[in-house]
Amino acid sequence: MDLPQVVSRDEWLTARKELLAKEKEFTRMRDVVTEERRGLPMVKVDKDYVFDGPGGKVELLELFDGRRQLIVYHFMWLWDTDEGCASCSLLVDNIGHLSHLHARDTSLVLASRAPLAGIERFRARMGWTVPWYSSYGSDFNYDFNATMDESVAPVEYNYKDKATLMREGLAFFVKGDGHGMSVFLRDGDSVFHTYSTYGRGADLLVGTYNYLDLTPLGRQKYINEFLHHDKYDV
């Protein structure tokens, strides 16, 4: 790529202040969107979902671990190589210490439609401690649009049906597992679904992206070109 233009310090400062005004506008708009997100209505979860975890089978309510809020990252599993998706792995690599979330009454877990043995093997390889559960054998992935299979449910990914996905050249998302994130709120023993996002909706959570976005060279690679962290030759 071409390098930025070389200018005087005064010219740089003028350009920087112009960009700063746009950054502040973006920050204010993000605050507005964040407030609207918090105000979304919610849907009660009536189905009993059962997951496999290191300690045995658990229900959705138990994933809260006693806290009021639960964030579930739908971690895409690659069945052809029997390992976790590299892009999803990049996101998990960027998850910080969970104590900060726990202090705000919020739990964060990963869920994949894959056998627990494979998940545990891959988690050990990556060195992660984030709670990770298998949704294999349940309707969880299908109901929250993280797995597309017409024989189970109508195809919908990122709030687009199959016809729309095909028309927009997104055929990759009409079959198999995808990635995304869903948020739940607990009120006593009642669980409510408040939010889900897919596609680039989770970009903001990838700290690596945010750091690279500050640099002239940017991200340099498309999301699918990032590797598992143990595959880089650096």
Side-chain angles (χ1 to χ4, degrees):
M1 61 172 291
D2 294 334
L3 296 179
Q5 180 184 4
V6 178
V7 298
S8 69
R9 179 70 181 183
D10 288 343
E11 290 174 306
W12 176 88
L13 187 58
T14 297
R16 177 64 190 95
K17 288 181 176 179
E18 291 176 354
L19 178 61
L20 178 59
K22 295 179 180 179
E23 289 176 335
K24 288 181 177 294
E25 181 181 356
F26 172 75
T27 298
R28 287 190 291 268
M29 178 55 67
R30 187 173 64 188
D31 288 343
V32 170
V33 172
T34 298
E35 185 174 357
E36 291 183 2
R37 182 186 301 119
R38 290 197 300 268
L40 279 174
M42 57 188 185
V43 178
K44 187 174 183 180
V45 179
D46 292 318
K47 187 178 292 189
D48 294 326
Y49 296 106
V50 178
F51 304 82
D52 284 328
K57 294 189 179 299
V58 294
E59 297 182 351
L60 179 61
L61 182 63
E62 296 175 271
L63 300 189
F64 284 79
D65 198 19
R67 303 181 181 92
R68 290 203 65 200
Q69 300 187 128
L70 170 67
I71 302 172
V72 178
Y73 182 71
H74 302 289
F75 194 112
M76 181 177 173
W77 192 258
L78 303 180
W79 290 86
D80 55 341
T81 57
D82 197 25
E83 62 182 355
C85 160
S87 302
C88 291
S89 298
L90 174 64
L91 184 145
V92 176
D93 281 338
N94 282 268
I95 293 176
H97 203 290
L98 294 182
S99 62
H100 301 292
L101 288 174
H102 295 171
R104 296 297 178 267
D105 217 8
T106 302
S107 292
L108 171 64
V109 305
L110 314 177
S112 294
R113 191 183 64 89
L116 183 62
I119 289 174
E120 288 293 281
R121 183 187 67 250
F122 186 71
R123 180 167 66 163
R125 170 185 154 189
M126 293 290 101
W128 297 329
T129 59
V130 182
W132 195 351
Y133 296 90
S134 168
S135 60
Y136 188 74
S138 80
D139 294 335
F140 185 75
N141 269 50
Y142 302 102
D143 289 350
F144 291 94
N145 305 115
T147 296
M148 280 55 68
D149 186 341
E150 282 186 301
S151 68
V152 177
V155 169
E156 179 186 303
Y157 185 72
N158 205 12
Y159 306 101
K160 297 178 180 179
D161 60 18
K162 180 180 179 180
T164 303
L165 291 167
M166 296 296 291
R167 185 171 62 253
E168 295 182 357
L170 300 173
F172 175 79
F173 294 111
V174 303
K175 186 175 178 60
D177 293 343
H179 73 278
M181 184 169 289
S182 294
V183 181
F184 302 90
L185 178 68
R186 179 179 67 86
D187 185 14
D189 289 339
S190 297
V191 176
F192 300 88
H193 174 222
T194 66
Y195 180 76
S196 285
T197 188
Y198 309 91
R200 293 193 61 189
D203 266 20
L204 190 64
L205 305 177
V206 183
T208 298
Y209 289 167
N210 297 321
Y211 281 112
L212 290 174
D213 284 346
L214 299 174
T215 69
L217 299 183
R219 301 182 187 183
Q220 304 171 48
K221 293 181 178 292
Y222 182 66
I223 181 173
N224 289 337
E225 296 177 307
F226 282 84
L227 303 177
H228 294 112
H229 63 236
D230 61 351
K231 293 182 179 179
Y232 287 113
D233 185 20
V234 293

